[in-house]
Amino acid sequence: MPRYFFDTCDGERQVRDEAGIDLTDPQDIGREAAILLQGLGLAEMLKGRSRVFTVRVRREDGTLIYRGTAKLDIE
């Protein structure tokens, strides 16, 4: 089963995923990335901060296969 790693950035801090997750269906990558971005956005929304979040997904060999971005504006 392929393992995928979801690295994140919130505009200030980058976090490299060292554990990864096994996904049987590559179609699940976008769903997992969206769930991760949603969680990051909610945490910052509660703090009242605007941010741009990025998630990059890579295979075990380091190949980048997906990039997603979400923008949170607080006014």
Side-chain angles (χ1 to χ4, degrees), residues 11-23:
E12 290 182 356
R13 191 178 85 169
Q14 293 186 14
V15 177
R16 184 174 172 87
D17 179 4
E18 299 295 340
I21 60 172
D22 295 327
L23 296 173

Side-chain angles (χ1 to χ4, degrees), residues 18-75:
E18 299 295 340
I21 60 172
D22 295 327
L23 296 173
T24 56
D25 187 349
Q27 299 290 344
D28 292 338
I29 293 169
R31 180 180 53 83
E32 292 294 327
I35 291 168
L36 183 55
L37 288 169
Q38 182 181 25
L40 291 169
L42 179 58
E44 292 302 313
M45 184 183 294
L46 294 173
K47 295 175 187 175
R49 297 191 284 191
S50 297
R51 289 273 194 265
V52 174
F53 304 97
T54 304
V55 63
R56 291 180 180 90
V57 182
R58 56 189 165 82
R59 292 187 186 122
E60 288 179 279
D61 67 3
T63 304
L64 181 65
I65 59 168
Y66 183 95
R67 181 177 180 271
T69 302
K71 183 177 180 184
L72 173 66
D73 286 322
I74 303 287
E75 293 183 21

